[in-house]
Amino acid sequence: VGMDSNSPRGMVDASGEISPSALKKYSDYIKSLNDPYILTAHHPVWNPPEKQESVYHKLLNREEFLTEIRKNPPMAYFHGHVHTNWIRKKDSEIPFLISNAASSTRDTDRSHLCGFHILDLQKDSFSVQRISYSKTKKSLSLKDPVVY
């Protein structure tokens, strides 16, 4: 299930929002599903403590969206927006896996662990590989995933 969290706000504002009508459509649609599902949107619903976002970069109605997601949680939530890779395991606070897919063609640097994930997602478990691209070497390589 894909959600559009992008909302144009100006040159220096990369914040997003899930519109009230989209939240309602999501809620109605999810109630009709009998199968597990995966949810995607551009903006994260959670950030690691060291990667907190300003009001000019975050999903503005994150808590409202999370409240709605928790009612009928997906197996996983996939997003981008923040240019570093991480995985968050599900727990009682957020009962679904979260995977951030950062820029897949940007070189990793001190602030950004770039690349993409290959996830094997099962009902009660998952395995993950992080793939990183090197422009200098023009190659892909396996890296340890960052898991919270």
Side-chain angles (χ1 to χ4, degrees), residues 93-133:
E93 179 189 352
I94 299 179
F96 49 89
L97 178 132
I98 297 174
S99 175
N100 180 37
S103 176
S104 59
T105 57
R106 177 182 180 163
D107 275 340
T108 291
D109 59 33
R110 287 184 298 135
S111 302
H112 305 92
L113 295 175
C114 296
F116 59 93
H117 294 119
I118 297 175
L119 278 160
D120 181 8
L121 190 58
Q122 303 297 320
K123 183 177 180 180
D124 294 316
S125 66
F126 73 95
S127 64
V128 62
Q129 293 179 308
R130 185 169 71 86
I131 311 296
S132 184
Y133 174 70

Tab-separated table of all heavy atoms in Angstrom, residues 93-133:
chain	number	residue	atom	x	y	z
A	93	GLU	N	5.909	-0.513	20.985
A	93	GLU	CA	5.636	0.884	20.638
A	93	GLU	C	5.260	1.028	19.162
A	93	GLU	O	4.302	1.724	18.816
A	93	GLU	CB	6.865	1.752	20.939
A	93	GLU	CG	6.668	3.202	20.580
A	93	GLU	CD	7.946	4.019	20.675
A	93	GLU	OE1	8.963	3.522	21.158
A	93	GLU	OE2	7.909	5.177	20.240
A	94	ILE	N	6.032	0.393	18.302
A	94	ILE	CA	5.765	0.398	16.855
A	94	ILE	C	5.770	-1.056	16.399
A	94	ILE	O	6.837	-1.661	16.246
A	94	ILE	CB	6.800	1.245	16.088
A	94	ILE	CG1	6.738	2.703	16.565
A	94	ILE	CG2	6.541	1.149	14.582
A	94	ILE	CD1	7.718	3.636	15.895
A	95	PRO	N	4.574	-1.637	16.201
A	95	PRO	CA	4.466	-3.080	15.965
A	95	PRO	C	4.685	-3.523	14.517
A	95	PRO	O	4.000	-4.404	14.016
A	95	PRO	CB	3.035	-3.378	16.425
A	95	PRO	CG	2.290	-2.125	16.139
A	95	PRO	CD	3.272	-1.002	16.366
A	96	PHE	N	5.647	-2.903	13.846
A	96	PHE	CA	5.998	-3.292	12.489
A	96	PHE	C	7.448	-2.892	12.227
A	96	PHE	O	7.969	-1.968	12.845
A	96	PHE	CB	5.054	-2.662	11.449
A	96	PHE	CG	4.859	-1.172	11.621
A	96	PHE	CD1	5.698	-0.256	11.002
A	96	PHE	CD2	3.823	-0.693	12.405
A	96	PHE	CE1	5.515	1.101	11.166
A	96	PHE	CE2	3.629	0.675	12.573
A	96	PHE	CZ	4.483	1.577	11.953
A	97	LEU	N	8.089	-3.604	11.318
A	97	LEU	CA	9.461	-3.305	10.934
A	97	LEU	C	9.481	-2.019	10.112
A	97	LEU	O	8.549	-1.759	9.349
A	97	LEU	CB	10.003	-4.469	10.093
A	97	LEU	CG	11.415	-4.312	9.566
A	97	LEU	CD1	12.192	-5.581	9.842
A	97	LEU	CD2	11.407	-4.024	8.088
A	98	ILE	N	10.523	-1.214	10.276
A	98	ILE	CA	10.695	-0.005	9.476
A	98	ILE	C	12.023	-0.117	8.736
A	98	ILE	O	13.047	-0.436	9.336
A	98	ILE	CB	10.695	1.266	10.347
A	98	ILE	CG1	9.346	1.436	11.035
A	98	ILE	CG2	11.033	2.490	9.507
A	98	ILE	CD1	9.288	2.584	12.020
A	99	SER	N	11.989	0.139	7.435
A	99	SER	CA	13.204	0.110	6.626
A	99	SER	C	13.357	1.428	5.887
A	99	SER	O	12.472	1.828	5.134
A	99	SER	CB	13.138	-1.040	5.610
A	99	SER	OG	14.263	-1.011	4.753
A	100	ASN	N	14.469	2.111	6.132
A	100	ASN	CA	14.791	3.331	5.411
A	100	ASN	C	15.687	2.971	4.237
A	100	ASN	O	16.753	2.381	4.419
A	100	ASN	CB	15.500	4.335	6.318
A	100	ASN	CG	15.845	5.612	5.567
A	100	ASN	OD1	15.079	6.060	4.735
A	100	ASN	ND2	16.991	6.182	5.847
A	101	ALA	N	15.267	3.318	3.056
A	101	ALA	CA	16.070	3.099	1.855
A	101	ALA	C	16.648	4.440	1.433
A	101	ALA	O	15.931	5.299	0.937
A	101	ALA	CB	15.218	2.508	0.740
A	102	ALA	N	17.914	4.613	1.688
A	102	ALA	CA	18.566	5.877	1.363
A	102	ALA	C	18.943	5.898	-0.112
A	102	ALA	O	18.659	4.970	-0.857
A	102	ALA	CB	19.817	6.038	2.224
A	103	SER	N	19.609	6.949	-0.506
A	103	SER	CA	20.048	7.080	-1.888
A	103	SER	C	20.892	5.871	-2.281
A	103	SER	O	21.911	5.576	-1.670
A	103	SER	CB	20.867	8.358	-2.041
A	103	SER	OG	21.370	8.451	-3.349
A	104	SER	N	20.469	5.162	-3.304
A	104	SER	CA	21.175	3.936	-3.686
A	104	SER	C	22.395	4.202	-4.553
A	104	SER	O	23.227	3.324	-4.736
A	104	SER	CB	20.223	2.983	-4.409
A	104	SER	OG	19.696	3.602	-5.545
A	105	THR	N	22.539	5.403	-5.096
A	105	THR	CA	23.683	5.686	-5.965
A	105	THR	C	24.616	6.746	-5.393
A	105	THR	O	25.558	7.164	-6.054
A	105	THR	CB	23.199	6.151	-7.353
A	105	THR	OG1	22.368	7.304	-7.188
A	105	THR	CG2	22.437	5.048	-8.057
A	106	ARG	N	24.392	7.160	-4.182
A	106	ARG	CA	25.273	8.126	-3.522
A	106	ARG	C	26.347	7.363	-2.766
A	106	ARG	O	26.086	6.329	-2.157
A	106	ARG	CB	24.446	8.963	-2.545
A	106	ARG	CG	25.250	9.945	-1.742
A	106	ARG	CD	24.350	10.688	-0.777
A	106	ARG	NE	25.113	11.627	-0.003
A	106	ARG	CZ	24.584	12.624	0.674
A	106	ARG	NH1	23.273	12.804	0.659
A	106	ARG	NH2	25.331	13.435	1.366
A	107	ASP	N	27.570	7.877	-2.793
A	107	ASP	CA	28.636	7.248	-2.024
A	107	ASP	C	28.400	7.470	-0.532
A	107	ASP	O	27.974	8.542	-0.100
A	107	ASP	CB	30.000	7.842	-2.392
A	107	ASP	CG	30.618	7.183	-3.605
A	107	ASP	OD1	30.222	6.059	-3.949
A	107	ASP	OD2	31.517	7.801	-4.217
A	108	THR	N	28.697	6.447	0.262
A	108	THR	CA	28.628	6.565	1.706
A	108	THR	C	29.708	7.531	2.177
A	108	THR	O	30.826	7.527	1.663
A	108	THR	CB	28.817	5.171	2.336
A	108	THR	OG1	27.659	4.386	2.020
A	108	THR	CG2	28.975	5.243	3.836
A	109	ASP	N	29.358	8.373	3.144
A	109	ASP	CA	30.337	9.269	3.759
A	109	ASP	C	30.139	9.230	5.274
A	109	ASP	O	29.403	8.393	5.783
A	109	ASP	CB	30.219	10.695	3.187
A	109	ASP	CG	28.847	11.323	3.398
A	109	ASP	OD1	28.197	11.039	4.434
A	109	ASP	OD2	28.412	12.101	2.531
A	110	ARG	N	30.785	10.132	6.013
A	110	ARG	CA	30.700	10.107	7.476
A	110	ARG	C	29.275	10.253	7.997
A	110	ARG	O	28.938	9.737	9.051
A	110	ARG	CB	31.558	11.225	8.080
A	110	ARG	CG	33.035	10.973	7.993
A	110	ARG	CD	33.849	12.046	8.690
A	110	ARG	NE	33.620	13.345	8.046
A	110	ARG	CZ	33.397	14.469	8.701
A	110	ARG	NH1	33.387	14.491	10.003
A	110	ARG	NH2	33.192	15.582	8.062
A	111	SER	N	28.416	10.949	7.262
A	111	SER	CA	27.062	11.230	7.735
A	111	SER	C	25.976	10.386	7.086
A	111	SER	O	24.832	10.427	7.511
A	111	SER	CB	26.723	12.701	7.479
A	111	SER	OG	27.641	13.537	8.125
A	112	HIS	N	26.313	9.657	6.034
A	112	HIS	CA	25.295	8.949	5.261
A	112	HIS	C	25.754	7.542	4.915
A	112	HIS	O	26.749	7.371	4.218
A	112	HIS	CB	24.994	9.703	3.963
A	112	HIS	CG	24.603	11.112	4.167
A	112	HIS	ND1	25.515	12.141	4.151
A	112	HIS	CD2	23.395	11.670	4.418
A	112	HIS	CE1	24.890	13.279	4.366
A	112	HIS	NE2	23.601	13.015	4.540
A	113	LEU	N	25.020	6.548	5.414
A	113	LEU	CA	25.257	5.161	5.023
A	113	LEU	C	24.287	4.854	3.892
A	113	LEU	O	23.128	4.536	4.133
A	113	LEU	CB	25.031	4.213	6.200
A	113	LEU	CG	25.990	4.368	7.363
A	113	LEU	CD1	25.580	3.452	8.506
A	113	LEU	CD2	27.410	4.069	6.919
A	114	CYS	N	24.748	4.998	2.674
A	114	CYS	CA	23.861	4.898	1.520
A	114	CYS	C	23.809	3.484	0.974
A	114	CYS	O	24.577	2.615	1.354
A	114	CYS	CB	24.307	5.878	0.440
A	114	CYS	SG	24.156	7.587	0.997
A	115	GLY	N	22.910	3.274	0.053
A	115	GLY	CA	22.721	1.979	-0.566
A	115	GLY	C	21.270	1.558	-0.497
A	115	GLY	O	20.375	2.392	-0.467
A	116	PHE	N	21.050	0.266	-0.469
A	116	PHE	CA	19.683	-0.242	-0.374
A	116	PHE	C	19.692	-1.552	0.390
A	116	PHE	O	20.746	-2.137	0.641
A	116	PHE	CB	19.044	-0.404	-1.764
A	116	PHE	CG	19.785	-1.337	-2.682
A	116	PHE	CD1	19.437	-2.681	-2.756
A	116	PHE	CD2	20.812	-0.883	-3.488
A	116	PHE	CE1	20.103	-3.552	-3.595
A	116	PHE	CE2	21.483	-1.737	-4.339
A	116	PHE	CZ	21.133	-3.077	-4.391
A	117	HIS	N	18.512	-2.000	0.778
A	117	HIS	CA	18.361	-3.241	1.538
A	117	HIS	C	17.742	-4.323	0.687
A	117	HIS	O	16.890	-4.047	-0.159
A	117	HIS	CB	17.445	-3.041	2.755
A	117	HIS	CG	18.002	-2.137	3.783
A	117	HIS	ND1	17.393	-0.967	4.152
A	117	HIS	CD2	19.108	-2.224	4.546
A	117	HIS	CE1	18.104	-0.373	5.090
A	117	HIS	NE2	19.149	-1.115	5.347
A	118	ILE	N	18.131	-5.554	0.963
A	118	ILE	CA	17.416	-6.722	0.475
A	118	ILE	C	16.860	-7.390	1.726
A	118	ILE	O	17.616	-7.818	2.596
A	118	ILE	CB	18.336	-7.687	-0.300
A	118	ILE	CG1	18.890	-6.992	-1.536
A	118	ILE	CG2	17.575	-8.962	-0.661
A	118	ILE	CD1	19.894	-7.811	-2.306
A	119	LEU	N	15.538	-7.413	1.814
A	119	LEU	CA	14.866	-7.950	3.001
A	119	LEU	C	14.168	-9.257	2.668
A	119	LEU	O	13.518	-9.374	1.634
A	119	LEU	CB	13.797	-6.973	3.487
A	119	LEU	CG	14.264	-5.823	4.345
A	119	LEU	CD1	13.239	-4.716	4.344
A	119	LEU	CD2	14.512	-6.296	5.758
A	120	ASP	N	14.326	-10.226	3.553
A	120	ASP	CA	13.517	-11.439	3.511
A	120	ASP	C	12.589	-11.322	4.707
A	120	ASP	O	12.993	-11.514	5.849
A	120	ASP	CB	14.403	-12.684	3.601
A	120	ASP	CG	13.598	-13.974	3.547
A	120	ASP	OD1	12.378	-13.921	3.283
A	120	ASP	OD2	14.192	-15.035	3.781
A	121	LEU	N	11.356	-10.958	4.429
A	121	LEU	CA	10.393	-10.636	5.471
A	121	LEU	C	9.424	-11.799	5.650
A	121	LEU	O	8.714	-12.174	4.726
A	121	LEU	CB	9.640	-9.369	5.063
A	121	LEU	CG	8.740	-8.679	6.047
A	121	LEU	CD1	9.504	-8.272	7.301
A	121	LEU	CD2	8.137	-7.445	5.397
A	122	GLN	N	9.426	-12.369	6.839
A	122	GLN	CA	8.509	-13.449	7.190
A	122	GLN	C	7.523	-12.908	8.224
A	122	GLN	O	7.709	-11.806	8.744
A	122	GLN	CB	9.285	-14.642	7.759
A	122	GLN	CG	10.346	-15.191	6.830
A	122	GLN	CD	9.782	-15.735	5.543
A	122	GLN	OE1	8.745	-16.376	5.552
A	122	GLN	NE2	10.446	-15.466	4.433
A	123	LYS	N	6.517	-13.689	8.551
A	123	LYS	CA	5.499	-13.209	9.492
A	123	LYS	C	6.102	-12.769	10.823
A	123	LYS	O	5.759	-11.726	11.354
A	123	LYS	CB	4.442	-14.294	9.728
A	123	LYS	CG	3.321	-13.837	10.625
A	123	LYS	CD	2.245	-14.874	10.786
A	123	LYS	CE	1.154	-14.334	11.699
A	123	LYS	NZ	0.091	-15.286	11.897
A	124	ASP	N	7.004	-13.569	11.387
A	124	ASP	CA	7.564	-13.262	12.704
A	124	ASP	C	9.068	-13.038	12.712
A	124	ASP	O	9.672	-12.988	13.779
A	124	ASP	CB	7.206	-14.386	13.689
A	124	ASP	CG	5.708	-14.453	13.941
A	124	ASP	OD1	5.097	-13.382	14.122
A	124	ASP	OD2	5.165	-15.562	13.924
A	125	SER	N	9.673	-12.938	11.547
A	125	SER	CA	11.119	-12.737	11.502
A	125	SER	C	11.518	-12.063	10.195
A	125	SER	O	10.714	-11.940	9.272
A	125	SER	CB	11.845	-14.085	11.633
A	125	SER	OG	11.574	-14.882	10.496
A	126	PHE	N	12.765	-11.627	10.154
A	126	PHE	CA	13.285	-11.048	8.924
A	126	PHE	C	14.792	-11.230	8.890
A	126	PHE	O	15.448	-11.411	9.915
A	126	PHE	CB	12.928	-9.560	8.811
A	126	PHE	CG	13.732	-8.672	9.743
A	126	PHE	CD1	14.876	-8.046	9.310
A	126	PHE	CD2	13.316	-8.459	11.046
A	126	PHE	CE1	15.616	-7.238	10.163
A	126	PHE	CE2	14.043	-7.649	11.913
A	126	PHE	CZ	15.196	-7.036	11.463
A	127	SER	N	15.334	-11.206	7.682
A	127	SER	CA	16.780	-11.104	7.508
A	127	SER	C	17.006	-9.968	6.522
A	127	SER	O	16.148	-9.661	5.692
A	127	SER	CB	17.380	-12.418	7.001
A	127	SER	OG	16.885	-12.722	5.723
A	128	VAL	N	18.147	-9.318	6.663
A	128	VAL	CA	18.403	-8.143	5.828
A	128	VAL	C	19.867	-8.109	5.404
A	128	VAL	O	20.759	-8.515	6.152
A	128	VAL	CB	18.028	-6.846	6.588
A	128	VAL	CG1	18.852	-6.664	7.844
A	128	VAL	CG2	18.156	-5.635	5.684
A	129	GLN	N	20.079	-7.631	4.196
A	129	GLN	CA	21.417	-7.343	3.699
A	129	GLN	C	21.408	-5.896	3.224
A	129	GLN	O	20.428	-5.444	2.627
A	129	GLN	CB	21.785	-8.233	2.519
A	129	GLN	CG	21.939	-9.684	2.872
A	129	GLN	CD	22.282	-10.488	1.631
A	129	GLN	OE1	21.608	-10.410	0.623
A	129	GLN	NE2	23.341	-11.264	1.722
A	130	ARG	N	22.479	-5.166	3.515
A	130	ARG	CA	22.616	-3.804	3.004
A	130	ARG	C	23.617	-3.838	1.871
A	130	ARG	O	24.713	-4.379	2.005
A	130	ARG	CB	23.092	-2.843	4.100
A	130	ARG	CG	23.118	-1.386	3.627
A	130	ARG	CD	23.333	-0.426	4.776
A	130	ARG	NE	24.658	-0.453	5.327
A	130	ARG	CZ	25.688	0.263	4.861
A	130	ARG	NH1	25.541	1.052	3.825
A	130	ARG	NH2	26.859	0.179	5.441
A	131	ILE	N	23.234	-3.274	0.751
A	131	ILE	CA	24.086	-3.211	-0.424
A	131	ILE	C	24.509	-1.754	-0.596
A	131	ILE	O	23.675	-0.851	-0.584
A	131	ILE	CB	23.348	-3.680	-1.700
A	131	ILE	CG1	22.637	-5.006	-1.468
A	131	ILE	CG2	24.298	-3.726	-2.880
A	131	ILE	CD1	23.535	-6.168	-1.166
A	132	SER	N	25.809	-1.536	-0.740
A	132	SER	CA	26.337	-0.189	-0.898
A	132	SER	C	27.016	-0.064	-2.253
A	132	SER	O	27.666	-1.001	-2.721
A	132	SER	CB	27.343	0.098	0.227
A	132	SER	OG	27.801	1.424	0.144
A	133	TYR	N	26.874	1.096	-2.872
A	133	TYR	CA	27.475	1.361	-4.174
A	133	TYR	C	28.678	2.283	-4.001
A	133	TYR	O	28.612	3.259	-3.258
A	133	TYR	CB	26.454	2.023	-5.102
A	133	TYR	CG	27.024	2.464	-6.426
A	133	TYR	CD1	27.418	1.535	-7.374
A	133	TYR	CD2	27.173	3.816	-6.721
A	133	TYR	CE1	27.942	1.933	-8.593
A	133	TYR	CE2	27.699	4.228	-7.934
A	133	TYR	CZ	28.076	3.287	-8.872
A	133	TYR	OH	28.602	3.693	-10.065
